[in-house]
Amino acid sequence: MSWFDEPMRWMQINLVEDDPRSADVGRWKQIWENGRVEGLTISAGGAVAFYPTDLPFQQRSSFLGQGDLFGDLVAAAKALDIRVLARFECLFLDESVYEAHPDWFRTSASAMPQTMRDLTAAMLRDVPGVTEALKRYRVSEGHYMPCWHGPFYREMIPLAMTELAQRYEIDGFFANAWPQPGAGTYPANVAMACHCPHCLAQWEDCSGGEPYPTADDPDDELWRRYMDFVSSGAEVVHRKWQEHAKSLRPDLSFVACTTGSISSGLRWSRFGPMDLVANDCQGRGLVGAKGEGTSTAGVWMAGRSAKIMRAVAGERPLFQIVGAWQCGGPSRPALRRSAMPGQELTTMLAQATANGLRPWANVAGGTIYDDRWIAPLTAYYSWHASIDEHLRGARSLARVAVVWSPESGAPYTRPAERPSMVDAVNGWYLALLTARIPFEIVSRELVTEDDLARFDVVVVPSGTILDERTTGLIEQCAERSGVVIGCGVSTPRAWARDVMSTSDVDGPYPPGYLAIDGMDHPLVAAIGDPDYLPAGTWRSRPKVAAGNSVGRPAPTLPFLADKAFFPDDWDAAPVLCVDDRTVVLGSDLDALHGVTQLPDPGSVLVNAVTVAAKDRNPSAISVEGSGMFEVTAWQTDRALVVHLVNLTSPDLYGGPLTWVAELGPLRVRIDLPNGRAVTGAVLLSDGREAGLSRTAGCVHVEVPSLHSYEVILVETTDEAVDS
């Protein structure tokens, strides 16, 4: 086992240039000790150096003097046996560096250097709610962006790595907002094209002398080559940095600041090797692009971001970066000197833990101006340390998988005339979370037959793009497990038993209805007895027998209330259909639920999972009791571990989260894996022994109350135990 597997709690200090005159190293050491911190990321160099660098174009902090703030913090950390990553800020450099090396920087078509403001405007051009004032706020004048195809990334940063490794007892390196493009959060587009000499020379080789494309068009071969060019540049730099770190010392590593976004467009299968993975989800507004990270994003986005990262990280140690400050987003500014409310911080940390990631708290600045984050953070971290033995080596007990493909979420790599997979994944996440059904997200790029074989139901959200290999895997899955297919799924293969939706997708339609062919069908169970349900805005026609249809799209109602009735002679082909254990949603009800949170589409989604599971229980867990909370379930060699994260708050879609309602009592039913018997149960929030009862094949645990989170530890053995 390498050292990367050892740390369970991490912190990151993003130093500010004037910190050398006011940062209190002794206070930081006390915080780390109280929180039982095991890993640290500390700003070292790049745009600003916090150590006495000898490299000519890595500028020392103007407040450093004869000091060495980075070195002092590293020494304090090592006195506590804490691992340390040296952080680089790579997004901008001072104007004086530009004057010496203009070829290092991103350059516009008019040969002008680009600032972060310029790139932000390009990245956020289609994200709603982003004002010009917010774009201007991102980075001040006089700071230009280096280009990742140029010498700063490919030569200067490796030199800084060498200098730091020779001087300090560090364990690796970390880079802010990496990988590019779009800081790993927003997909590349043509407005991001760089005209520096290095980019132009490499693009000429890549394109055969063609100019950059002028529009984002997935059908344009030149545009596809441009996208490959942008992504390949980021991938090359990542590999180069990791290789250089290993050449300095085999146990050193470069850790990328990745993002669990479903719309970044990153090619995870081609990404460089990583010893550990850090998921940048500092606040709700930092989890992705359009539809993912606005100021009204649900607090449950932190869990979804964690699941996305688990889908691509494999067996590597995974950390979730959570901001201890008032994190900004596309539609609101960052307030770095204001602490995140303790409840929001605690809830986001608990979601990371519940979804299998380790906590990594980010603090904005080495000088503490608002210390209200310290108590909730150290309280959570010290509790986390007391139970971390139950978090290592855990295997998910989820029986439902949601298939995600990176190219489906990026707005410039998916066909425009398709349902939004971003909204659809959000809809499935919200529906399953509300129904308290544990589930996993699996990546189209990396999923294997063995991965899918452990699930009873596989869901393909509306608008998903599948390749030949993945379609074949899901066909095999349909023969042994239930499958739910969303509207407008793109696949190169005919679907098994002709139940796949046709490739013809119609829409978008105005808000409308589905006429239900009998409310006694399990697909629409427990909704009530309405004649019509809300419909999505896109339609595709399933290839199934008419006898298996459940719902048909009704004509669009006129807007005027007095004329809002259907004609007598309308008819339409079915769009909601069931064939054995395959459910086809020919309307993007999942995207509708993700956008509107209307309860009826969410109920149909949950019913679809139950119908696809048929005689199997799609949930290893059920919870009786009121409230909204996330449920995840894990198995270790000695126990079953169930996490409950309380999301019951009026700030669920607002923010920041300031309080949650206390819930309880709750009764939790847990299915026992074959061959396991129960010896006891403990509520790990405070170490109380839990009320326990057993029935055939399952165990029931009483949870008297739930405030922020609870972790239920059900101790098991493979030996028979009298009940």
Side-chain angles (χ1 to χ4, degrees), residues 295-368:
S295 59
T296 57
V299 72
W300 49 269
M301 287 283 188
R304 197 215 62 189
S305 181
K307 276 187 166 66
I308 288 290
M309 195 55 66
R310 285 190 55 244
V312 300
E315 299 300 319
R316 288 168 288 226
L318 263 169
F319 289 84
Q320 181 129 318
I321 305 175
V322 175
W325 49 285
Q326 291 275 21
C327 301
S331 59
R332 65 185 183 203
L335 300 172
R336 299 181 187 276
R337 292 195 176 183
S338 294
M340 180 182 285
Q343 185 62 63
E344 176 112 344
L345 177 58
T346 299
T347 298
M348 293 190 72
L349 292 170
Q351 285 184 88
T353 304
N355 283 284
L357 275 70
R358 307 174 187 185
W360 173 320
N362 176 287
V363 182
T367 304
I368 300 173

Side-chain angles (χ1 to χ4, degrees), residues 11-15 28 322-325 361-366 368 373 377:
M11 282 188 68
Q12 176 176 334
I13 305 175
N14 287 359
L15 295 177
W28 280 114
V322 175
W325 49 285
N362 176 287
V363 182
I368 300 173
W373 59 269
L377 178 65

Side-chain angles (χ1 to χ4, degrees), residues 501-517:
S501 300
T502 65
S503 59
D504 297 329
V505 183
D506 298 328
Y509 288 91
Y513 300 89
L514 295 175
I516 303 303
D517 299 330

